[in-house]
Amino acid sequence: MHPLAETALGEIAGDPPRVDVHLLEMLAEHAEEERDGDGPEGMARGQGVDVEYDDGFPDGVDGLALYEDRLLIVRPSKDRATEWLRIFHELAHWMLMAMGWAHSHGDVWMLALALGAPKSLVRRERPGCAVALAAASGLPAWAASARLEMLSAA
């Protein structure tokens, strides 16, 4: 299993959500509607947040959301899907901080998956499997699979 998958799925299961999943879905749809360009950077820009890259993070740290600076800093990756998920993850941190909601790291991961594949995209693309959703959204296949499971449970 990809290390990021192990972390994300473990934290969703082990750090139960505190925010209602419907609110997370609404936040993701809002971000989709407000996007200012393609990919996760366009979604961040639509929220008034900049994205920078820094490969100097210590092992085990892939990014940072600086709320007051309206800035996300992420470790770059040779794999675009992993890099995009890192941005969605940090944007989820930033958005939940902006809302002022008490939240768990499980909430952050669930919102990151919803940002990467909002319900409107899933309805439009109607992917029959995780690989199809990964192709449509740019998420890693494991994240697309987790997103489809999330939607089927809602």
Side-chain angles (χ1 to χ4, degrees):
M1 181 181 288
H2 189 281
L4 191 55
E6 194 172 318
T7 298
L9 300 177
E11 289 181 356
I12 289 171
D15 195 4
R18 297 176 67 187
V19 178
D20 184 285
V21 69
H22 297 98
L23 293 175
L24 296 176
E25 295 291 346
M26 288 190 312
L27 276 178
E29 285 301 324
H30 172 75
E32 177 68 9
E33 291 166 5
E34 297 294 316
R35 73 169 40 255
D36 181 13
D38 295 330
E41 287 125 336
M43 190 173 277
R45 228 181 348 270
Q47 297 300 303
V49 179
D50 292 322
V51 177
E52 292 182 5
Y53 298 90
D54 185 340
D55 60 6
F57 284 106
D59 288 345
V61 178
D62 290 325
L64 183 63
L66 300 174
Y67 176 71
E68 291 180 7
D69 294 329
R70 302 184 76 84
L71 177 65
L72 311 177
I73 306 171
V74 297
R75 178 192 305 273
S77 175
K78 292 178 183 174
D79 173 39
R80 184 187 81 162
T82 297
E83 186 172 280
W84 279 24
L85 186 57
R86 288 175 181 166
I87 296 170
F88 288 130
H89 178 83
E90 296 309 325
L91 181 58
H93 271 293
W94 190 91
M95 291 175 73
L96 288 167
M97 285 188 279
M99 296 305 295
W101 295 342
H103 60 277
S104 69
H105 213 223
D107 290 314
V108 173
W109 278 113
M110 289 177 64
L111 180 54
L113 295 175
L115 290 169
K119 275 187 177 180
S120 57
L121 179 141
V122 175
R123 279 193 301 272
R124 184 175 64 250
E125 297 295 327
R126 297 183 182 173
C129 65
V131 173
L133 181 57
S137 67
L139 288 175
W142 67 263
S145 177
R147 178 64 175 141
L148 289 174
E149 286 180 34
M150 203 174 129
L151 289 170
S152 69

